[in-house]
Amino acid sequence: VQLQASGGGLAQPGGSLRLSCAASERPLDYYNIGWFRQAPGKEREGVSCISGSDGRTYYTDSVKGRFTISRDNSKNTVYLEMNALKPEDTAVYYCALCNGVSAGAYDFWGQGTQVTVSS
């Protein structure tokens, strides 16, 4: 499965962005899909994951209450709504198949999208 992230950009602290993850070649319906991020000089950080079987969602502690992951199987797309953004959210965000939100829980990611939070 090939996944493509989009929707990044520049936001002010406290602002919002919505990322999209679209798939080509096959439906995403039954896959767990999630997001991880990587900032320059930092380790990969798992952000969120949504189950393909029951829609359960998982988040790393630093984004709980601010980020929301969702999926629209009719559009073969997974979204990450990011609110109350902080400068420390600045990173390249990737969508991928996931099995939780640990750093090593992601596979088959495509090109990421840059998110910059700055005033």
Side-chain angles (χ1 to χ4, degrees):
V1 59
Q2 292 190 347
L3 301 172
Q4 180 66 48
S6 63
L10 175 64
Q12 292 188 338
S16 299
L17 285 172
R18 188 176 80 159
L19 305 184
S20 298
C21 176
S24 60
E25 298 185 350
R26 64 181 63 185
L28 292 179
D29 299 38
Y30 300 106
Y31 290 97
N32 300 342
I33 303 293
W35 297 86
F36 68 91
R37 63 189 180 186
Q38 188 148 25
K42 294 188 177 181
E43 297 287 326
R44 179 192 303 176
E45 181 183 23
V47 174
S48 185
C49 180
I50 184 167
S51 170
S53 60
D54 59 12
R56 287 189 182 185
T57 57
Y58 304 88
Y59 301 94
T60 193
D61 287 345
S62 62
V63 307
K64 284 180 182 177
R66 300 190 298 121
F67 291 11
T68 302
I69 191 170
S70 62
R71 65 195 304 156
D72 185 340
N73 289 338
S74 69
K75 296 182 179 179
N76 217 31
T77 301
V78 171
Y79 303 99
L80 185 69
E81 185 76 34
M82 305 188 296
N83 298 315
L85 284 164
K86 303 176 180 180
E88 51 263 43
D89 294 319
T90 296
V92 179
Y93 284 70
Y94 299 84
C95 63
L97 302 187
C98 59
N99 184 26
V101 292
S102 64
Y106 298 86
D107 206 350
F108 294 104
W109 58 90
Q111 187 173 354
T113 186
Q114 176 72 48
V115 171
T116 302
V117 184
S118 174
S119 56

